[in-house]
């Protein structure tokens, strides 16, 4: 699971920065101002890092849940598809028995074969007979070509396939969002490092440069965070 900067890490950095500032020899007004700016930046990073880490964890969880649902739906679809294949084979065998009796002119065998037809297959069978296939050259080749021929297991397989595709898409999108939050957490960690070490430099120009670079990276991270969706509710 993706993690952000921990509160203890940020707090330790702030405490070290405060201790270093306190040990400085009679800091002037500008040094105190820089220390305040550094402390404010570190505090802001702490809040943003906590939020980014929380959001990354939530999106990672949402991705795992969606992908698990996709896998479960795909398993159901495969099982239903296999059952549909078995039903289709049974219907074909039953119809072949009737057709053999029909071509042989054996009425008794036709009746027996018709009784063995699957109940769900009979509407298509009777609809096919209504087309007068023995004399109508435009009649469908068999009952399985009729619109009345429906296999419930095949319908269930198709529905579960669609659910699996939708869940997989949601899972991949949630995972990508979580990765973006992790990337922003890395930016925030960079800001924490730059601002954290700035207080250890006695040269003001170095502190200015580190604070400026850290601020730019922080602004970029904030812009990225604003463009991302908030943590999922579940």
């Amino acid at each position: 699971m993706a993690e952000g900067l921990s509160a203890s890490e940020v707090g330790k950095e702030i405490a070290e920065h405060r201790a270093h500032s306190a040990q400085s020899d009679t800091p002037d007004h500008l040094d105190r101002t820089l220390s305040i700016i550094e402390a404010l930046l570190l505090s802001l990073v702490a809040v943003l890092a906590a939020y980014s880490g929380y959001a990354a964890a939530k999106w990672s969880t949402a991705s795992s849940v969606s992908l698990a649902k996709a896998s479960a739906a795909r398993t159901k679809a495969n099982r239903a598809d296999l059952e549909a294949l078995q039903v289709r084979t049974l219907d074909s065998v039953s119809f072949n028995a009737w057709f053999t009796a029909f071509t042989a002119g054996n009425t008794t065998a036709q009746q027996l074969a018709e009784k063995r037809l699957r109940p769900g297959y009979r509407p298509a069978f009777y609809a096919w007979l209504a087309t007068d296939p023995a004399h109508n050259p435009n009649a469908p080749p068999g009952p399985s070509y009729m619109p009345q021929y429906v296999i419930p297991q095949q319908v269930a397989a198709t529905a579960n396939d669609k659910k699996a595709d939708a869940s997989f898409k949601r899972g991949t999108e949630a995972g990508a969002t979580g990765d973006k939050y992790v990337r922003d957490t890395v930016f925030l960690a960079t800001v924490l490092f730059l601002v954290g070490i700035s207080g250890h430099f006695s040269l003001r120009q170095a502190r200015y440069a580190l604070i400026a670079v850290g601020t730019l990276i922080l602004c970029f991270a904030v812009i990225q965070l604003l463009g991302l969706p908030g943590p999922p509710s579940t």
Side-chain angles (χ1 to χ4, degrees):
M1 180 178 294
E3 296 182 356
L5 297 173
S6 65
S8 60
E9 293 174 344
V10 181
K12 180 180 178 181
E13 192 65 38
I14 296 175
E16 290 179 355
H17 177 268
R18 183 180 301 170
H20 178 77
S21 299
Q23 293 173 358
S24 300
D25 296 332
T26 61
D28 60 15
H29 177 71
L30 185 56
D31 287 333
R32 287 195 297 270
T33 301
L34 288 176
S35 298
I36 292 174
I37 293 175
E38 290 166 348
L40 290 176
L41 287 175
L42 290 175
S43 300
L44 181 58
V45 169
V47 176
L48 292 178
Y51 170 79
S52 182
Y54 170 76
K58 291 288 288 183
W59 280 111
S60 178
T61 300
S63 175
S64 299
V65 172
S66 294
L67 292 178
K69 290 181 179 179
S71 179
R74 193 74 70 189
T75 300
K76 292 181 180 179
N78 292 336
R79 182 169 60 248
D81 190 62
L82 180 60
E83 293 176 354
L85 179 61
Q86 294 173 345
V87 172
R88 188 180 295 275
T89 301
L90 175 62
D91 291 339
S92 179
V93 171
S94 300
F95 176 75
N96 288 339
W98 176 91
F99 188 75
T100 299
F102 173 78
T103 55
N106 190 334
T107 305
T108 303
Q110 289 183 52
Q111 294 175 351
L112 291 175
E114 185 175 337
K115 290 181 180 180
R116 296 180 59 188
L117 294 176
R118 183 173 58 89
Y121 183 74
R122 290 175 184 173
F125 176 75
Y126 293 138
W128 177 72
L129 288 180
T131 63
D132 192 17
H135 304 93
N136 181 10
N138 297 322
S144 60
Y145 294 88
M146 301 297 295
Q148 292 83 356
Y149 184 65
V150 178
I151 300 178
Q153 292 84 348
Q154 189 62 57
V155 175
T158 302
N160 282 312
D161 268 330
K162 291 182 179 179
K163 290 181 181 179
D165 292 339
S167 296
F168 182 79
K169 182 179 179 181
R170 288 195 298 269
T172 53
E173 291 176 350
T177 302
D179 291 340
K180 292 177 181 178
Y181 271 108
V182 172
R183 179 195 61 191
D184 288 334
T185 303
V186 174
F187 291 143
L188 294 173
T190 304
V191 177
L192 177 66
F193 171 75
L194 294 176
V195 178
I197 65 173
S198 66
H200 298 274
F201 286 87
S202 57
L203 186 63
R204 289 177 179 174
Q205 286 76 7
R207 297 180 68 180
Y208 291 153
L210 291 173
I211 292 175
V213 174
T215 302
L216 290 176
I217 297 177
L218 178 60
C219 292
F220 177 77
V222 170
I223 293 174
Q224 295 294 313
L225 288 174
L226 292 176
L228 293 176
S233 57
T234 56

